[in-house]
Amino acid sequence: MDSIPLPAIEFKHITKYFTGSERQRAVLNGITAKVSPGKITTLVGPSGSGKSTLLSLCNLLLSPDEGEISVFGKPVSEWEIPELRRKVALVFQDAPMLQGTVLYNLQTAERLHGTVLHDPSGLLERVGLTRDLLDQKAQDLSGGQRQRLALARTLANRPDILLLDEITSALDPASVKEVEDLLLQMNKEEGTTMIWITHHMEQARRVGNETWLMIDGKLVEQADTETFFHAPQHSETRRFIAGEWV
């Protein structure tokens, strides 16, 4: 009898409070869910629903106020932070570039974790950038080029889990397809687990094995992507898919 694999990430009753000018509010409210290993989970929902906050908890950029998060069965509080962030990598929508060349940015993993970057040119080409950019200043790249460099910089760590926060939002349609194809290939060939925040429902359909909907800090629906879009269980999900959510 095959054993059931551990979730890549497990959220147990996660609550996170932010204190505003008037009162404390829960930006995440009792999130309980499991991220399937080797799968792509697309995370959708209105702006301000807590999606980015949820990702930031997974590698301890933020800490939950209540509840527990585990990565491969081990609570995040028990991980050494450098090792956790090597395993669980977060790529932001507008990732900041370090001052210096493209190569210097790619060598971030070497400096942080002591890993060796064997093929920086190949890593660039993997994300659709040309090797002649290695000696160029990262600050001089276009927005789309910087986004792809941020992804390449993250991939240099060979993470087991990728947390992707609207990473294709600044790209033209052809570049979006290139990045999607790259990540789908990584998922298929290397089994990289991904949580992918997107505001584009068609992208969620294309890339997600599972899709979750968050609204007002709560996880409203979680299902395999086909079921999510064609047989949603909740009225909020049906309204959101139909574009009726305000």
Side-chain angles (χ1 to χ4, degrees), residues 11-241:
F11 304 97
K12 296 179 181 176
H13 312 295
I14 297 299
T15 296
K16 179 68 179 175
Y17 297 103
F18 282 169
T19 303
S21 56
E22 297 179 2
R23 61 186 177 84
Q24 192 179 60
R25 69 181 184 92
V27 69
L28 296 175
N29 196 344
I31 301 287
T32 294
K34 296 178 182 180
V35 178
S36 301
K39 302 290 187 183
I40 299 176
T41 299
T42 45
L43 185 54
V44 300
S47 296
S49 57
K51 302 183 298 297
S52 296
T53 301
L54 188 68
L55 292 198
S56 296
L57 296 174
C58 296
N59 68 356
L60 288 180
L61 287 178
L62 295 172
S63 297
D65 292 312
E66 298 173 13
E68 183 178 83
I69 300 171
S70 297
V71 171
F72 297 118
K74 181 177 177 180
V76 290
S77 57
E78 295 179 10
W79 285 84
E80 295 289 335
I81 287 181
E83 176 64 10
L84 177 65
R85 292 180 181 167
R86 192 197 66 75
K87 258 194 181 317
V88 185
L90 179 53
V91 186
F92 292 103
Q93 176 180 355
D94 186 20
M97 294 291 101
L98 301 176
Q99 292 288 340
T101 64
V102 167
L103 178 59
Y104 181 79
N105 274 266
L106 288 177
Q107 291 169 332
T108 301
E110 289 186 332
R111 295 190 297 274
L112 289 178
H113 305 295
T115 54
V116 178
L117 182 60
H118 293 289
D119 186 13
S121 298
L123 191 57
L124 278 190
E125 291 176 346
R126 192 175 178 196
V127 297
L129 297 175
T130 54
R131 59 182 62 206
D132 62 298
L133 293 175
L134 280 173
D135 295 324
Q136 188 167 326
K137 289 184 178 178
Q139 302 291 332
D140 293 340
L141 299 179
S142 69
Q145 287 175 321
R146 287 198 300 271
Q147 189 64 69
R148 285 192 258 185
L149 175 56
L151 181 57
R153 188 173 62 186
T154 300
L155 297 183
N157 252 341
R158 301 186 64 82
D160 295 315
I161 300 171
L162 273 177
L163 310 173
L164 307 169
D165 193 350
E166 287 283 347
I167 63 161
T168 61
S169 61
L171 304 182
D172 61 82
S175 298
V176 169
K177 185 177 188 312
E178 286 180 7
V179 171
E180 285 183 5
D181 289 347
L182 162 69
L183 292 167
L184 289 168
Q185 181 183 9
M186 278 186 62
N187 171 258
K188 181 179 179 181
E189 295 180 359
E190 301 174 28
T192 308
T193 303
M194 303 178 195
I195 308 180
W196 191 328
I197 294 176
T198 179
H199 279 105
H200 298 285
M201 292 300 96
E202 287 307 311
Q203 183 174 66
R205 286 177 190 255
R206 284 195 302 269
V207 303
N209 302 117
E210 301 175 9
T211 300
W212 298 359
L213 172 64
M214 285 182 64
I215 295 175
D216 293 333
K218 296 180 181 179
L219 191 55
V220 173
E221 184 134 3
Q222 48 184 314
D224 69 86
T225 299
E226 185 75 13
T227 300
F228 182 93
F229 283 101
H230 291 103
Q233 298 298 301
H234 300 280
S235 60
E236 295 102 318
T237 311
R238 292 190 285 273
R239 289 175 56 205
F240 185 79
I241 293 170

